[in-house]
Amino acid sequence: MAADQKIRVMPGRRWQVFQRDGWKCLACGKSSHDGVILHVDHIIPRSKGGPDTFENLQTLCWECNIGRSNRDDTDLREN
């Protein structure tokens, strides 16, 4: 899928996920104060039918999210 066609999580929902997760990556604990870019990640990927629900979203930094791909459905909120 081309970048301009990518469906994004709604801004209000993103804000809620970041707020719930303490504005930090749930995998490594870094925040924007550490110079990382935070992403809202689907626990169950969209490509596998994962919804855009609050419960299926978690905060990861760019580095932790980029290598995850759609083969991993780890819910890091449980750590």
Side-chain angles (χ1 to χ4, degrees), residues 9-34 36-44 53-66 68 74-79:
V9 175
M10 296 300 292
R13 176 79 36 104
R14 289 171 44 85
W15 180 271
Q16 291 172 335
V17 172
F18 288 149
Q19 208 168 26
R20 178 198 65 205
D21 295 343
W23 297 88
K24 65 180 182 181
C25 175
L26 296 180
C28 69
K30 292 181 182 175
S31 73
S32 59
H33 297 294
D34 299 307
V36 300
I37 296 171
L38 296 176
H39 289 196
V40 171
D41 172 64
H42 287 79
I43 296 165
I44 300 170
T53 60
F54 185 68
E55 298 76 23
N56 190 46
L57 300 171
Q58 62 187 350
T59 303
L60 295 180
C61 72
W62 180 85
E63 290 179 5
C64 291
N65 189 31
I66 200 70
R68 195 167 164 264
T74 305
D75 182 349
L76 297 169
R77 295 173 301 152
E78 296 173 354
N79 293 338

